[in-house]
Amino acid sequence: MDLSQAYSSMWADIAAALPLVIVSLAGLVVVVFDAYRNRHAATPLITLAALVLAFAVEIPALSADGTAFHGMLRIGGAAAFVNLLILGSGILTVMLAMPYLKRLDMHIGEVYSMVLFATAGMLMLGAANHLVTIFVGLETMSVCLYILTGLVRKNQGAIESALKYFLLGAFSTGFFLYGMALLYGATGTMSLSDMQVAAGSGSVMFWAGVALLLVGFLFKVSAVPFHMWTPDVYQGAPTPLVGFMSTASKAAAFAALITVLVLALPPERWTGVLAVFAVITMVIGNVLALSQSNVKRMLAYSSIAHAGYILVALAAGTPEGYSGALFYLLVYTVMNIGAFGVMSQLEWDDAQGSTQSLDSLAGVGYRRPLLGWTMVFFMFSLAGFPPLAGFLGKWAVFAPAIDADLVWLAITGVLASAVSAYYYLRVLVVFFMKSARDGEPGTAAGEAFVIPTMTRGVLIFCTALLVVLGVTTFAWDLTGTFFG
Amino acid sequence: MVSLVIFLPLVGAVLTMLARSESAIRWSALLVTSATFLLSLGLYFQFDPGVSTQAVPQMAQISDLWFPDSMDIKYFVGIDGLNLLLIMLTTLLGPIVVLSSWTYIGKNHKPYYTLLLVLQTGVTGVFAAFDIFLFYIFFELTLIPMYFIIGIWGGENRVYAAVKFVIYTLVGSLLMLVALIFLGYAAGDAINAGVFTTDWYKLVAFNMPLGTQNWLFLLFALAFAIKVPLFPLHTWLPDAHVQAPTGGSVVLAGVLLKMGTYGLVRFCLPFFPNAAQDYAMLFAVLAVIGIVYGALVSRAQTDAKKLVAYSSVSHLGFVVLGIFAFNVEAMQGAMIQMINHGISTGALFLIVGMLYERRHTREMSDYGGIAKSVPVLTFFMVVSVLASAGLPGLNGFVGEFLILIGSFSSTSLASPWLVVVATTGVILAAVYLLYMVYAMFWGTLDRDENRDMKDLNKRELGLLIPLAVLMVVMGLAPSPFLAKSEPAVKDLLETIETKRLAAEEMASSAQALPLTID
């Protein structure tokens, strides 16, 4: 390629990928700023401003359709939707994390630069149109998340979970990279748009590459049997950041997986495989969640199960399935950030502390009505009750499977989600139907703690959004326009 | 106006949430539910059974703003002969339940009344919906408030009962959801230009192929059978009833259970007529087992509330039997029996609740001879018991009589012996109910605390009188009520028959086809 030609489209490319540029630059700014003004109060505000700006810039791109940087990134449509999702998740997370980290005395600039860099990686991953951008995005995101997991470095649990995450993550990266190499060997291209043609019906080497690639993706979305890291990481990492990890990184990885499925693979050959992963993920995720007594761990298993629901939609292999998966990711993001937001407020015992066990939360719904009643919405939405968004989300992922004659898969899915109702309701049982006994941890310190205004805002916003997304269909209709 | 009746309680829920004091909460809840009832009277008098609802319900309200393009899902509510009386029952019980909770609810008044009002919106919506997606949303919406009402304000074992209630119902309704989506796609492909549809009239017009009908029918029927509850899926009911506060029990028995039987009539029968007839015998047998089993178990109870709870299993068995008899008499009997059961069992739960408020026990052996200390309460108890047992002249008799006659002559149910067995249920009902009256109200008044019991106050009188009046009126003059639903029931049975024949013809011509090629 002629270099002058490459430069000729440079400004247009940068303009098209402006949110990514803004977020990356803001990350650098935060690093530099923090070097001169350590722990300055403005650091999180810079972060927030950058994310909001990027969000605003991305909105008009929803109706666009194209690629940038010579086919490395997709612009507009589904990519824009996922980018908005990631940025929105980032904004809410930073708002939740600011007071939380201040209380932990971990109010350091590095956190915010890591969040920004992770966001940049996710934006690249979500919009990737080329194996190389997928890989760069995936690694940028993962490395930042490893660091964020181990943020509270005085806490042994945090260190353990960070190390676990890193080792297993590095392992899955190896699979991913090897898969890429095999795909390149089989097709001679790394561009996803060219791969389908080049692959034909697919050689053995091609399908081996696909299988390895799939392992990498399934690890990142924490599908069973590649889910082992999830509960430990979610339990050890700072709670608001878990909300970020469990939503934005999942959205980015699923978006990349959808791109690979739609663009790169010959149609119809992978449906059965994804259906099998969907079933074991839903069943095992939900069943293991049943026996958890720690709320964060329970939510971790629940997030595994939700990855299973999304896989159901992908297994359908239809445009409705892909758009349903995107819609589900949106709904899932809102409710999960909300749920982790509530839990982050309930950690009032000591620094990182709090056992986060169900027993310690008895009667919390009455002492903290705001946390209690917003949690009602998040739990019922996660369980898929109408008229909340969780129900429309379930509809959006199961209906395509039924339409694609995978009725057995949908039936497994709804039965699994009936199981999930048990453990989501158990949280509410503890919140509202049990009273705290004397001398238990949390009660005294809890009375004194004031919920920050920003946190209140985020929780109420998430609740309202769940209702709005549940009774209107604009977002669902929007996702319907992206495919085919 | 239908929408107003549905959503006025929801507006009221917001009102109670904003209300400052305890009495403001209660009064606003009472005001809203009473206003809703008055509004619904308008529905009753405006409804004209002479106008056919074969193509569109009366007072229909349709809006397709909800799902603009991609799917044929609409906000579609209306009134026809099948749902009119059930909506009336729901709105009537609204203020009664609020009044019955006046002093019973000791803590957290605000969420209780808010949830109660949300619940009423859900139940009314279930009955008024003519779009099955909308129906499903309302159907599930009723679970959330009921879960909290049992779980927060219930008895000792409330958490277990609440969770069991939700999980049972949820399993059924989620399986129905799968069937519903399948049905919507199939009907959309066949008759709606490939657009997914949940419009009730379109789905009724669609002939489902025979093989698929069977499993779709079973998935739908399972959801409704759990809700009814049909034997052997009834085990959640005694728990939920016994643990729920009085108000919750009244709503549960009065209208929530009717969502199951109503669902069978409204959806299962017209959508899957062939499968429904094929499985009619199975459901009738289960219903009869439920009738006898429920009655026997009731007799064995020592807890008055549990006794009434099990009697619901027995009484709703009659309704299911009537539905699966597939003729006008039995179906009409089932329709009116749903209302009767709501009124008489509702009254029984109210009275047991009043006794519990006075004595904090539901064990029948803790009472005895209280007819002397609370004569007015005893009067209402006896009326309700006799109505519930089916004494001629009171409302219970009408429904059970029609159901038994209808099922006896039914061609779908192979044997009249079923009806003979079911009839023993009527006798057993008299046995266990009169035993309860005997044990609690007659006999010797040997406990001091029973001697000092206060009789009904004005509030309690106010909420029992309308129910008692209805028992007598519906017993002596049932025809105005029956007339409201008769044309709709006839239409429904006609539709079922035509669809059934058409499907059978299609199946036989498909079989005959290879022969003609030969």
Side-chain angles (χ1 to χ4, degrees):
Chain A
M1 185 192 318
D2 188 0
L3 266 184
S4 64
Q5 216 181 341
Y7 284 119
S8 70
S9 66
M10 188 177 76
W11 293 110
D13 287 340
I14 287 179
L18 198 56
L20 178 57
V21 176
I22 293 172
V23 172
S24 312
L25 282 179
L28 294 174
V29 168
V30 166
V31 170
V32 175
F33 181 75
D34 189 56
Y36 287 97
R37 296 273 186 279
N38 200 7
R39 295 197 174 206
H40 196 277
T43 317
L45 298 179
I46 296 174
T47 312
L48 208 54
L51 289 170
V52 171
L53 181 63
F55 189 88
V57 169
E58 188 69 18
I59 291 174
L62 271 174
S63 52
D65 187 19
T67 60
F69 296 107
H70 304 283
M72 300 291 269
L73 289 177
R74 286 176 307 121
I75 300 301
F81 182 82
V82 172
N83 283 354
L84 286 174
L85 194 55
I86 294 164
L87 290 165
S89 169
I91 293 169
L92 296 176
T93 303
V94 171
M95 289 172 74
L96 285 175
M98 275 164 65
Y100 179 89
L101 293 174
K102 206 172 260 170
R103 194 150 50 82
L104 277 188
D105 199 25
M106 290 303 286
H107 195 242
I108 48 181
E110 284 82 353
V111 178
Y112 296 100
S113 58
M114 282 302 137
V115 168
L116 283 168
F117 288 136
T119 309
M122 291 170 192
L123 293 178
M124 187 182 275
L125 181 59
N129 195 38
H130 194 278
L131 285 177
V132 168
T133 34
I134 290 187
F135 187 74
V136 172
L138 199 66
E139 279 307 281
T140 312
M141 166 184 102
S142 301
V143 170
C144 297
L145 293 185
Y146 301 148
I147 298 171
L148 286 175
T149 304
L151 184 65
V152 191
R153 60 178 183 279
K154 285 171 201 153
N155 181 317
Q156 266 194 346
I159 298 291
E160 183 196 329
S161 56
L163 196 64
K164 224 175 219 170
Y165 194 13
F166 169 65
L167 287 176
L168 288 173
F171 201 53
S172 85
T173 304
F175 276 95
F176 195 88
L177 209 52
Y178 198 25
M180 270 173 66
L182 288 181
L183 283 183
Y184 183 67
T187 61
T189 177
M190 290 242 194
S191 165
L192 295 175
S193 339
D194 303 337
M195 198 167 276
Q196 197 167 351
V197 182
S201 66
S203 57
V204 174
M205 197 204 275
F206 177 79
W207 286 109
V210 171
L212 291 175
L213 207 63
L214 206 56
V215 170
F217 276 124
L218 291 177
F219 178 88
K220 288 296 169 204
V221 302
S222 59
V224 177
F226 310 107
H227 66 286
M228 303 295 183
W229 56 276
T230 316
D232 293 327
V233 170
Y234 285 15
Q235 192 182 359
T239 312
L241 298 178
V242 176
F244 185 55
M245 285 179 210
S246 66
T247 57
S249 77
K250 206 169 260 195
F254 263 118
L257 178 58
I258 291 173
T259 316
V260 170
L261 293 177
V262 175
L263 291 179
L265 301 191
E268 304 272 313
R269 291 280 293 275
W270 30 266
T271 301
V273 179
L274 285 183
V276 169
F277 279 115
V279 167
I280 56 175
T281 305
M282 289 186 297
V283 171
I284 293 183
N286 278 321
V287 169
L288 288 181
L290 281 179
S291 60
Q292 302 304 319
S293 59
N294 178 302
V295 181
K296 270 168 89 179
R297 267 188 105 78
M298 185 211 89
L299 285 173
Y301 281 106
S302 112
S303 88
I304 294 171
H306 284 273
Y309 303 142
I310 297 170
L311 285 175
V312 169
L314 299 191
T318 56
E320 289 78 31
Y322 302 131
S323 53
L326 286 189
F327 178 66
Y328 198 90
L329 281 169
L330 167 66
V331 173
Y332 167 76
T333 299
V334 177
M335 53 201 186
N336 235 33
I337 287 191
F340 278 111
V342 170
M343 289 318 295
S344 74
Q345 287 308 304
L346 291 178
E347 289 178 8
W348 51 47
D349 293 347
D350 52 53
Q352 159 72 307
S354 66
T355 46
Q356 292 268 5
S357 70
L358 274 172
D359 297 335
S360 69
L361 298 171
V364 142
Y366 296 114
R367 293 202 303 276
R368 300 268 152 202
L370 177 85
L371 298 179
W373 288 104
T374 51
M375 196 66 161
V376 168
F377 282 84
F378 302 141
M379 287 297 125
F380 274 114
S381 185
L382 281 165
F385 276 82
L388 300 172
F391 169 70
L392 272 195
K394 289 252 164 67
W395 179 293
V397 293
F398 289 144
I402 294 169
D403 198 25
D405 284 333
L406 291 167
V407 177
W408 64 273
L409 186 57
I411 288 186
T412 322
V414 295
L415 288 179
S417 73
V419 170
S420 77
Y422 180 78
Y423 60 80
Y424 292 129
L425 292 185
R426 203 171 52 177
V427 173
L428 302 181
V429 165
V430 173
F431 271 39
F432 287 102
M433 301 175 194
K434 297 228 161 89
S435 44
R437 288 172 293 267
D438 294 332
E440 280 192 345
T443 46
E447 302 300 339
F449 179 69
V450 181
I451 306 171
T453 321
M454 211 183 270
T455 311
R456 279 171 198 273
V458 170
L459 293 180
I460 291 171
F461 173 77
C462 287
T463 310
L465 198 56
L466 282 181
V467 176
V468 170
L469 290 176
V471 296
T472 64
T473 55
F474 72 93
W476 192 3
D477 287 336
L478 180 67
T479 59
T481 59
F482 296 148
F483 301 95
Chain B
M1 190 148 94
V2 185
S3 302
L4 202 57
V5 172
I6 299 175
F7 289 107
L8 191 61
L10 197 63
V11 177
V14 178
L15 262 181
T16 54
M17 235 189 294
L18 298 176
R20 293 258 165 219
S21 71
E22 241 175 63
S23 67
I25 293 168
R26 284 194 292 232
W27 279 105
S28 59
L30 182 64
L31 206 70
V32 169
T33 46
S34 310
T36 315
F37 175 63
L38 291 179
L39 263 177
S40 71
L41 279 179
L43 297 182
Y44 183 80
F45 290 114
Q46 208 179 326
F47 179 80
D48 177 5
V51 177
S52 164
T53 51
Q54 289 257 22
V56 67
Q58 296 185 27
M59 295 166 256
Q61 285 175 322
I62 306 177
S63 155
D64 55 359
L65 282 173
W66 193 14
F67 283 79
D69 315 312
S70 44
M71 291 185 183
D72 185 16
I73 297 175
K74 293 188 291 274
Y75 175 79
F76 184 5
V77 294
I79 301 289
D80 72 357
L82 299 181
N83 63 14
L84 173 70
L85 291 179
L86 285 166
I87 290 176
M88 297 302 300
L89 178 66
T90 313
T91 53
L92 169 70
L93 287 180
I96 290 180
V97 167
V98 171
L99 274 176
S100 79
S101 312
W102 212 256
T103 51
Y104 188 95
I105 297 304
K107 56 174 185 180
N108 307 315
H109 292 78
K110 189 177 281 189
Y112 178 82
Y113 290 101
T114 306
L115 289 168
L116 210 55
L117 290 166
V118 174
L119 182 62
Q120 192 177 337
T121 288
V123 179
T124 320
V126 161
F127 292 136
F130 273 83
D131 182 291
I132 189 162
F133 180 86
L134 186 66
F135 165 84
Y136 187 84
I137 288 191
F138 282 125
F139 190 76
E140 293 276 280
L141 180 62
T142 59
L143 277 182
I144 302 176
M146 202 61 210
Y147 166 72
F148 283 113
I149 287 176
I150 299 175
I152 298 181
W153 295 275
E156 282 156 27
N157 213 0
R158 56 184 190 272
V159 171
Y160 170 77
V163 173
K164 191 169 176 182
F165 164 73
V166 170
I167 301 280
Y168 258 69
T169 319
L170 195 63
V171 169
S173 60
L174 283 171
L175 288 174
M176 178 172 81
L177 178 66
V178 173
L180 188 164
I181 296 174
F182 187 93
L183 180 68
Y185 277 114
D189 285 341
I191 58 165
N192 203 29
V195 180
F196 179 89
T197 182
T198 49
D199 182 311
W200 185 75
Y201 285 98
K202 286 180 186 161
L203 293 177
V204 168
F206 166 61
N207 276 318
M208 192 48 130
L210 287 183
T212 330
Q213 261 195 33
N214 282 330
W215 67 265
L216 287 180
F217 169 78
L218 286 178
L219 289 182
F220 267 81
L222 177 70
F224 296 133
I226 289 174
K227 199 88 207 177
V228 171
L230 191 65
F231 177 88
L233 303 166
H234 64 279
T235 58
W236 63 268
L237 179 90
D239 289 314
H241 263 319
V242 173
Q243 300 303 329
T246 300
S249 293
V250 174
V251 180
L252 191 58
V255 288
L256 247 63
L257 303 185
K258 285 9 171 245
M259 296 183 348
T261 43
Y262 172 78
L264 287 172
V265 177
R266 168 73 77 196
F267 302 111
C268 279
L269 263 45
F271 288 175
F272 321 109
N274 302 69
Q277 292 234 314
D278 288 349
Y279 286 103
M281 200 57 203
L282 171 71
F283 278 83
V285 168
L286 289 177
V288 170
I289 295 177
I291 291 171
V292 177
Y293 170 85
L296 291 175
V297 177
S298 291
R299 176 62 188 83
Q301 299 305 318
T302 57
D303 179 319
K305 202 171 183 188
K306 231 175 183 164
L307 187 148
V308 180
Y310 273 107
S311 82
S312 287
V313 177
S314 182
H315 282 123
L316 284 164
F318 281 106
V319 178
V320 175
L321 180 68
I323 290 171
F324 282 95
F326 289 97
N327 60 28
V328 178
E329 292 81 23
M331 187 79 82
Q332 276 283 66
M335 298 305 298
I336 201 81
Q337 177 71 359
M338 287 191 221
I339 311 297
N340 292 338
H341 176 260
I343 293 170
S344 54
T345 309
L348 287 177
F349 273 121
L350 287 171
I351 294 169
V352 172
M354 290 167 189
L355 289 174
Y356 181 78
E357 248 185 293
R358 289 169 167 73
R359 289 274 285 103
H360 297 283
T361 170
R362 287 189 287 253
E363 284 296 314
M364 287 190 273
S365 53
D366 289 339
Y367 297 90
I370 56 172
K372 291 194 194 81
S373 54
V374 284
V376 186
L377 190 147
T378 311
F379 168 75
F380 282 105
M381 182 67 172
V382 171
V383 172
S384 313
V385 157
L386 292 178
S388 187
L391 184 83
L394 292 171
N395 62 353
F397 173 73
V398 182
E400 284 179 5
F401 185 67
L402 281 172
I403 290 171
L404 290 173
I405 298 187
S407 346
F408 195 79
S409 56
S410 163
T411 47
S412 312
L413 306 178
S415 138
W417 282 107
L418 265 180
V419 182
V420 174
V421 180
T423 312
T424 62
V426 184
I427 301 164
L428 288 171
V431 172
Y432 63 78
L433 284 166
L434 292 177
Y435 164 77
M436 173 170 74
V437 173
Y438 170 77
M440 294 174 78
F441 292 84
W442 274 270
T444 48
L445 184 60
D446 50 3
R447 285 168 192 255
D448 286 341
E449 55 270 38
N450 286 340
R451 212 161 280 144
D452 305 336
M453 251 164 72
K454 288 204 174 65
D455 210 341
L456 297 184
N457 58 29
K458 279 187 191 132
R459 174 179 60 81
E460 290 166 330
L461 265 179
L463 59 95
L464 283 178
I465 286 175
L467 293 179
V469 168
L470 271 176
M471 285 178 212
V472 177
V473 169
M474 288 181 75
L476 293 177
S479 41
F481 300 95
L482 287 168
K484 292 279 185 190
S485 60
E486 190 170 350
V489 166
K490 279 185 175 153
D491 286 350
L492 182 76
L493 287 167
E494 211 170 285
T495 314
I496 293 171
E497 194 54 23
T498 348
K499 273 188 76 177
R500 197 174 66 82
L501 292 176
E504 263 170 19
E505 206 167 288
M506 251 168 55
S508 63
S509 66
Q511 270 178 350
L513 207 57
L515 291 176
T516 54
I517 291 166
D518 272 358

